[in-house]
């Protein structure tokens, strides 16, 4: 499988979301990454269901919804209704992660697990066979535009090996500070999904930037 590119709409212009989504529709973006922050799990608040629904009405691209919220179980069916295709929860936010994963799948969504930079990838050993995506955070979640943490490379390698030796079809996503300086190495080490916000939306030509990330 060739890798996927998932632009993070957090870096878009929220006064002109329609323009940004229409731009993504004409691009080679595979998914649209949507960051939901609750001000508790992370020190920032982004937006909720209404904005997600509005985005969903403007695109047929799958929405890759990254929940940076505590107790995500409360809202799984609401995120499905709002248009999520993939629902990613944080390992650090789930006491009964296996149950949460099953609930996401029962709603007909792909289930993903995100790991903060300090969280060891060893924690995936007993859940990897049940999930559709691992999202390795390469910045501390909460804000766009941060610097890529180099240690991420080793985590990608570890998860790739874990997937190879287990009965898992999980995709490996990397989220935070992804740009042309690190994307190729991430793919070579086994990343399947590049999530990128600032490097796409702050570039002179986002459509070309997406195409360049796809062409790696
Ligand atoms: C960080 C978010 C990321 C962020 C990526 O909390 O989960 O998805 O939007 O943005 P950049 O690419 O600017 O680091
Ligand atoms: Zn994200």
């Amino acid at each position: 499988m060739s890798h996927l590119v998932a632009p993070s709409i957090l870096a878009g212009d929220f006064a002109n979301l329609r323009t940004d989504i229409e731009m993504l529709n004409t691009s080679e973006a595979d998914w649209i990454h949507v960051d939901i922050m609750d001000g508790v799990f992370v020190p920032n608040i982004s937006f909720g269901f209404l904005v997600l629904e509005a985005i969903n009405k403007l695109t047929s691209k799958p929405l890759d919804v990254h929940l940076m919220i505590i107790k995500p179980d409360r809202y799984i069916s609401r995120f499905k209704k709002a248009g999520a295709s993939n629902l990613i929860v944080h390992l650090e936010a789930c006491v009964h992660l296996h149950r949460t994963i099953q609930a996401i799948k029962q709603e007909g969504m792909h289930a993903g697990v995100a790991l903060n930079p300090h969280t060891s990838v060893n924690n995936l050993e007993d859940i990897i066979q049940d999930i559709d995506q691992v999202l390795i955070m390469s910045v501390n979640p909460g804000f766009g535009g941060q610097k890529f943490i180099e240690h991420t490379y080793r985590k990608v390698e570890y998860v790739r090996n874990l997937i190879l030796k287990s009965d898992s079809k999980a995709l490996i996503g990397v989220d935070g500070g992804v740009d042309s300086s690190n994307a190729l190495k991430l793919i070579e080490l086994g990343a399947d999904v590049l999530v990128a916000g600032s490097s796409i939306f702050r570039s002179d030509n986002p459509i070309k930037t997406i195409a360049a990330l796809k062409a790696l």
Side-chain angles (χ1 to χ4, degrees):
M1 188 197 85
S2 83
H3 61 278
L4 309 178
V5 173
S8 173
I9 196 64
L10 189 69
D13 177 355
F14 278 76
N16 287 295
L17 261 189
R18 179 186 291 274
T19 311
D20 281 343
I21 301 293
E22 283 171 358
M23 177 277 289
L24 294 177
N25 286 343
T26 65
S27 78
E28 291 178 53
D30 296 281
W31 298 342
I32 299 177
H33 184 86
V34 185
D35 290 306
I36 310 280
M37 306 177 185
D38 67 355
V40 179
F41 182 71
V42 287
N44 198 7
I45 297 175
S46 57
F47 51 82
F49 301 111
L50 293 178
V51 173
L52 181 60
E53 275 161 15
I55 294 170
N56 189 40
K57 280 189 191 134
L58 295 170
T59 188
S60 55
K61 303 233 185 211
L63 301 183
D64 184 52
V65 177
H66 176 193
L67 300 185
M68 285 157 274
I69 69 173
I70 61 164
K71 300 184 185 167
D73 309 69
R74 294 170 292 172
Y75 301 117
I76 290 170
S77 61
R78 289 203 57 194
F79 279 110
K80 168 70 182 178
K81 282 193 194 91
S85 294
N86 310 332
L87 199 63
I88 301 165
V89 294
H90 264 264
L91 184 141
E92 303 84 1
C94 297
V95 178
H96 299 288
L97 182 60
H98 185 272
R99 179 181 291 153
T100 306
I101 295 299
Q102 301 310 321
I104 293 171
K105 288 179 170 177
Q106 257 162 29
E107 287 286 346
M109 294 179 284
H110 294 290
V113 172
L115 263 60
N116 280 337
H118 76 276
T119 302
S120 172
V121 277
N122 287 319
N123 287 294
L124 294 168
E125 292 250 354
D126 294 298
I127 196 75
I128 193 76
Q129 65 283 351
D130 294 305
I131 63 183
D132 301 299
Q133 187 187 169
V134 175
L135 187 66
I136 300 176
M137 293 309 298
S138 38
V139 298
N140 285 293
F143 303 92
Q146 301 180 82
K147 191 175 174 302
F148 180 84
I149 297 171
E150 300 277 321
H151 180 70
T152 307
Y153 295 126
R154 291 184 47 195
K155 295 177 85 167
V156 172
E157 246 182 319
Y158 181 98
V159 178
R160 175 51 59 208
N161 288 328
L162 181 64
I163 288 170
L164 286 175
K165 70 179 188 201
S166 62
D167 193 18
S168 170
K169 295 189 175 55
L171 300 179
I172 302 175
V174 180
D175 185 10
V178 173
D179 61 21
S180 58
S181 74
N182 49 39
L184 182 59
K185 187 166 175 188
L186 289 169
I187 293 163
E188 285 172 351
L189 291 173
D192 302 294
V193 186
L194 300 173
V195 177
S198 309
S199 68
I200 289 174
F201 286 95
R202 307 269 175 277
S203 69
D204 291 339
N205 188 332
I207 291 188
K208 274 197 185 157
T209 306
I210 293 166
L213 288 172
K214 273 300 279 181
L216 290 172

